[in-house]
Amino acid sequence: MSSLAYRKDIDGLRAIAVLSVIICHANPDWLPGGFTGVDVFFVISGFLITAIIQREMTDGSFRFADFYLRRIRRILPVFFVVLFVVLLAGTLLLLAKDLVFVSSSARYATFFASNLYFAGEVDYFAPATVETPLIHTWSLAVEEQYYLVWPVLLLLLLRYARRWLMPLMLLMMLASFVLASLWAMDAGKAMWSFYSLPTRMGELLVGSLLAFVRPPAGRAGNLAGIGALLLLAASFVLLDKQSVFPGYNALWPCLGAALLIYAGMSGRCWSSRLLSVAPMVWIGRISYSLYLWHWPVLAYARYYTQQHSLSPAWLLFCAVLTLLLSALSWRYVEQPFRRQSLSFAAAARRFFLLPALLVLLFGAWAKHSDGHLFGNTQPQLTEVLVEDIGCVYKLRADCRIAGEGRPETVVFGDSHAKHYALVFAGIGEQQGIAMDFLTANSCPFMLDPTFNQGPRCQQLSAYVSQQLPHYRNIIVALRWSEYLKTYPGADQAAGRQFEQQLVRWLVQWAAEGKQVLLVSQAPEYQRDVQRNWRHGHADNTVLSRYAIANQRLQQLAQAYPQVVYLDFATALAGWQNGFVNGLPAYVDAHHLNAHGQQVLLQQLGERPLPALEQLE
């Protein structure tokens, strides 16, 4: 067992770290750089783990089984308690599709790979980050991955390269920060820079290097403490979500944390005494529970209220609930299980294998039932499509959704084309129009790289440009407000650029003798219609952005004879709060579900659309 002396000041530093994270997550305006508290945790973990391993390896008492037994008892019991509570609460609060997403993230979190899951997550319909209750587990995954790699690497260094230990650690640390900086400045790799071990390992190594540093002498401790607090304060206040991060900007909180730990080695500096006051130490002791609980509480509150900026009353409720849950889990879960005397095999079975099996079974149940755990499957209400029709992300020649023979009509666009798929399929069948269908979420049809968002969008744009000459009739459906920038705070210059690009396309198509239909955008609501239905909320507000965008489309249609404005919005505007026939007509705030599409098709059948009747 390690004989590393307990330091109150490190618990005080943990308090600073966790409070900064919680304040930032509660409201980023209060402490924009508070998210760097996670980096402070990395430094603390790197220091403590390396100090323990180094001491035990030096005196010959180190055993991998003992090391991982301590990690299991320290981390897993309360971790799985939180995980099970999150999944249980999810069955009560979440929509079916969101429960599938959360159960999937829980599976990755169980095996401490959630950083990889969230770095690669591209699900357009997944909940927003601030509503994802397990996204904070990415930092635990990074630490656990470090615990798997670093003991082995340190053992090799101490045994075969002790003379070069510090230079090699410093080189690895710098390489990690350089890699993180390069990836953070690359839009395609920024997510991996934030979430991956290689780009975060340098922060843990900052702490690990401290384990080999001698305590400060004389006034050095006080000077280090002053510098540390200034660095941390600057990081919390000056950095924000727009900063290049991690990488070189992560150096400031890491150096601040390292200097505080270094200053406290002497045990006599004023910063150490400041961090050792009883309230700070107590918060530090429950900091692991605080970190685990705070984010699910905030995420579910935001999910339920559909307010990313929570009201003071909700924030107070979340603060009290987080503190209560944390204190209880620290007292009745963390402490008792840390004192249990178990073998590594027994602890692994009890605290990992059994709970992991339960998480996997829950995830399989959720996936198999599409999130409808108790058989309440209503795909017409919860899905955009009742079956996979058309070519959603599938770039191929057989993208037929209606009719026979060689199609002369194509429907293409983003997810707002996709959520009209049943409507166009029905119209095509009714009116004998053969149609092809091409969509990609969040992808406008523009060929200009400025509007291409990722490789799939680029592929779609290139494919569509090749296929368009084969069609005489072109139907375009997009979330126009998103590209024309018809909402407050939007980049108006980008909106004008998009409109200019659209006009160039319309002129080109006119010269080629094509008939063009611009499909109106569906009414967009402030709140998720599906969640309102799930949680018993009725009132909802229609956002004006969609109407402004549709007005722009109408003006373009009037300016070009070959362009027709296809108005679905008028019929949809009569559906109060996004409900029709007493049921939700949307899967979220702006995508029609299958039920909404079917009702729209029925209503359009009562009022024939001349523009579509002209197509052959």
Side-chain angles (χ1 to χ4, degrees), residues 285-329:
R285 285 179 174 173
I286 69 168
S287 60
Y288 180 51
S289 282
L290 279 170
Y291 183 78
L292 285 177
W293 285 114
H294 89 280
W295 186 254
V297 169
L298 287 170
Y300 277 144
R302 288 176 170 130
Y303 189 92
Y304 179 77
T305 64
Q306 299 188 50
Q307 297 175 356
H308 290 181
S309 297
L310 293 171
S311 67
W314 269 104
L315 286 174
L316 179 60
F317 170 79
C318 291
V320 172
L321 181 59
T322 298
L323 188 61
L324 178 62
L325 290 172
S326 301
L328 290 173
S329 64

Side-chain angles (χ1 to χ4, degrees), residues 42 113-121 129 135-139 141-143 145 183 189-200 245-246:
F42 285 157
S114 58
N115 59 328
L116 307 179
Y117 177 76
F118 290 117
E121 177 55 45
T129 298
I135 199 168
H136 66 318
T137 61
W138 74 268
S139 62
V142 168
E143 285 198 19
Q145 291 161 18
W183 282 11
K189 298 178 180 177
M191 293 287 283
W192 289 101
S193 176
F194 191 89
Y195 287 115
S196 70
L197 174 63
T199 53
R200 293 290 190 163
F245 200 90

Side-chain angles (χ1 to χ4, degrees), residues 322-437:
T322 298
L323 188 61
L324 178 62
L325 290 172
S326 301
L328 290 173
S329 64
W330 177 78
R331 174 64 180 83
Y332 295 106
V333 182
E334 282 195 71
Q335 292 302 103
F337 286 110
R338 289 183 72 176
R339 292 192 292 264
Q340 280 196 3
S341 179
L342 295 170
S343 67
F344 172 78
R349 287 194 301 269
R350 184 176 301 182
F351 300 144
F352 179 70
L353 293 178
L354 178 58
L357 178 62
L358 294 176
V359 173
L360 292 177
L361 289 174
F362 183 92
W365 184 18
K367 184 176 181 179
H368 179 72
S369 64
D370 290 326
H372 301 280
L373 298 182
F374 305 104
N376 298 319
T377 303
Q378 295 178 291
Q380 74 277 14
L381 301 181
T382 59
E383 297 178 14
V384 173
L385 299 176
V386 293
E387 58 182 338
D388 184 17
I389 62 175
C391 284
V392 180
Y393 284 140
K394 299 174 184 177
L395 308 182
R396 65 188 187 206
D398 55 337
C399 299
R400 188 75 47 81
I401 61 169
E404 298 178 357
R406 182 183 178 279
E408 293 192 345
T409 300
V410 62
V411 181
F412 70 97
D414 60 10
S415 61
H416 277 236
K418 178 180 175 181
H419 82 158
Y420 285 138
L422 296 181
V423 177
F424 283 115
I427 290 173
E429 294 296 336
Q430 291 172 6
Q431 301 186 198
I433 304 170
M435 293 185 188
D436 278 348
F437 192 77

